[in-house]
C-alpha cells in the first residue's frame, strides 16, 4: 500500500502569496483535495493523508512531523508561485538522487504535458518540507499568482482539475499504481411512452404499442401506470428504441434508473 502525504501549502493565518483576487492557500487546498480524491477513487493500493483538509494554520514542522510519524512513502507539497514569472516548476531537496528525482520527473512531466504550461524546470532547493521529511518529497509551484494570465487559469475549476490530474497521474506513475477496474454500471435506461392515473388508459396504450410491434409493459410506479417499451443497459440502445417509437407517433421519454 503506497502511503501518499499531500501537503496543501499555507492555510489559516498564513495566506501564502496573494494576487489578482485569489490566495495561494485556497488554490493549494483545492488542488490537494482533488489529487487525494483522484488517487483514492481511481487507483488501487494507495492511501492518502493530508496536512490539512480545511483553511487551518499548520506549521512547517507539523507538516513534516505528520508525514514522518505516519511513515509516508511520498510527500507532495503544493504551492503557487509569486514574484514575477509564469508556468510550473518543481523542487526536491538539494543533492538528492533517485528515487526522489525519478518521482520528481514523473510528477513534473505529467503536469507539464497535461497543462501545457511553461516549464520552468525540475529544480532543487533547501525548503523545510523537502529537507525535514524522511521520505522522498517534492514541492510543486503551480503558476504565479501575481501574473494575470496564470491567475486566470488558477481561477478556472477545470484547469485546477487538470493540475490535480497531472499530480495524481505522476504519483501513479512513480508508484506503479494500478487503476481500479471500472465498476459495473447497472443503470437501466427505460423507454416510456405514457404515464396514467387510470390503469385502463395505460392498458389501452400498451395494447396499441404491442400491435405496433413493441414489447410493452405496464408498471405501477409512484401511483402512476407507466407504459414502458424497453429497458436497456446501454443508453444508445434505449435511444434507438425511442427513435423507433417516435416514428410510430408515440411521445417518449427515456428514464434512467440504477
Ligand atoms: Zn507557497
Amino acid at each position: 500500500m503506497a502511503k501518499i502525504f499531500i501537503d496543501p501549502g499555507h492555510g489559516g493565518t498564513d495566506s501564502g502569496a496573494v494576487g489578482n483576487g485569489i490566495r495561494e492557500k485556497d488554490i493549494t487546498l483545492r488542488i490537494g483535495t482533488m489529487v487525494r480524491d483522484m488517487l483514492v477513487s481511481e487507483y488501487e493500493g494507495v492511501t492518502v493523508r493530508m496536512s490539512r483538509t480545511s483553511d487551518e494554520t499548520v506549521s512547517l514542522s507539523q507538516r513534516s512531523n505528520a508525514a514522518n510519524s505516519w511513515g509516508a512513502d511520498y510527500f507532495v507539497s503544493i504551492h503557487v508561485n509569486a514574484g514575477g514569472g509564469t508556468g510550473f516548476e518543481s523542487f526536491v531537496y538539494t543533492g538528492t538522487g533517485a528515487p526522489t528525482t525519478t518521482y520528481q520527473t514523473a510528477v513534473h512531466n505529467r503536469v507539464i504535458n497535461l497543462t501545457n504550461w511553461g516549464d520552468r524546470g525540475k529544480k532543487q532547493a533547501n525548503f523545510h518540507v523537502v529537507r525535514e521529511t524522511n521520505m522522498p518529497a517534492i514541492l510543486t509551484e503551480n503558476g504565479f499568482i501575481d501574473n494575470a494570465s496564470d491567475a486566470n487559469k488558477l481561477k478556472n475549476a477545470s484547469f485546477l482539475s487538470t493540475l490535480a490530474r497531472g499530480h495524481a497521474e505522476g504519483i501513479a506513475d512513480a508508484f506503479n499504481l494500478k487503476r481500479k477496474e471500472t465498476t459495473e454500471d447497472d443503470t437501466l435506461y427505460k423507454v416510456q411512452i405514457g404515464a396514467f392515473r387510470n390503469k385502463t388508459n395505460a392498458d389501452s396504450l400498451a395494447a396499441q404499442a404491442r400491435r405496433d410491434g413493441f414489447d410493452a409493459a405496464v408498471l405501477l410506479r409512484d401511483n402512476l401506470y407507466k407504459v414502458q417499451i424497453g429497458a436497456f443497459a446501454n443508453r444508445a440502445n434505449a435511444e434507438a428504441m425511442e427513435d423507433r417509437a417516435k416514428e410510430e407517433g408515440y411521445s417518449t421519454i427515456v428514464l434512467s434508473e440504477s
Side-chain angles (χ1 to χ4, degrees):
M1 187 66 87
K3 296 163 85 172
I4 310 298
F5 192 93
I6 307 283
D7 174 39
H10 312 277
T13 57
D14 172 16
S15 292
V18 175
N20 290 298
I22 50 176
R23 301 180 298 193
E24 181 180 2
K25 67 173 182 176
D26 301 320
I27 304 295
T28 61
L29 182 60
R30 290 182 66 189
I31 298 171
T33 305
M34 285 190 275
V35 174
R36 177 197 62 192
D37 292 347
M38 287 170 184
L39 286 173
V40 169
S41 66
E42 297 173 24
Y43 294 93
E44 291 174 2
V46 61
T47 177
V48 176
R49 279 199 194 173
M50 296 178 73
S51 57
R52 64 183 181 97
T53 54
S54 63
D55 184 16
E56 58 193 308
T57 307
V58 185
S59 72
L60 292 178
S61 48
Q62 283 174 319
R63 295 168 198 254
S64 48
N65 288 342
N68 290 342
S69 62
W70 184 41
D73 295 309
Y74 198 29
F75 185 97
V76 181
S77 191
I78 296 168
H79 288 257
V80 178
N81 236 326
T86 180
F88 177 85
E89 62 193 13
S90 65
F91 293 89
V92 298
Y93 181 48
T94 310
T96 35
T100 301
T101 47
T102 320
Y103 296 169
Q104 179 184 24
T105 299
V107 172
H108 188 103
N109 290 357
R110 282 287 190 178
V111 171
I112 293 294
N113 289 340
L114 284 177
T115 60
N116 219 8
W117 227 348
D119 185 352
R120 302 175 56 83
K122 299 187 252 300
K123 301 180 176 179
Q124 304 206 336
N126 184 22
F127 297 142
H128 174 102
V129 291
V130 295
R131 184 186 66 239
E132 300 297 330
T133 41
N134 298 334
M135 69 291 307
I138 188 172
L139 184 148
T140 64
E141 291 281 5
N142 298 269
F144 284 71
I145 211 160
D146 52 356
N147 173 304
S149 160
D150 281 12
N152 271 336
K153 289 180 174 163
L154 295 171
K155 289 175 187 174
N156 180 310
S158 80
F159 188 82
L160 291 186
S161 167
T162 303
L163 270 173
R165 183 150 298 285
H167 285 75
E169 290 189 1
I171 293 164
D173 289 345
F175 287 86
N176 286 316
L177 299 179
K178 274 186 17 189
R179 279 197 175 275
K180 282 182 181 168
E181 298 288 328
T182 47
T183 51
E184 193 74 25
D185 184 356
D186 53 6
T187 301
L188 274 184
Y189 299 95
K190 300 183 167 184
V191 185
Q192 182 179 304
I193 56 171
F196 302 89
R197 295 204 174 279
N198 182 319
K199 185 171 188 299
T200 308
N201 292 341
D203 286 338
S204 157
L205 180 65
Q208 176 67 48
R210 283 187 203 108
R211 281 195 294 276
D212 287 333
F214 294 100
D215 185 18
V218 174
L219 302 144
L220 180 61
R221 295 275 188 279
D222 307 320
N223 294 319
L224 286 174
Y225 293 96
K226 299 185 171 180
V227 184
Q228 187 182 299
I229 56 167
F232 302 87
N234 181 311
R235 179 185 277 280
N237 291 341
E239 286 171 351
M241 175 64 82
E242 188 182 25
D243 288 345
R244 208 185 115 205
K246 278 186 172 144
E247 276 171 28
E248 296 284 344
Y250 293 94
S251 66
T252 63
I253 178 172
V254 174
L255 306 170
S256 63
E257 198 174 275
S258 48

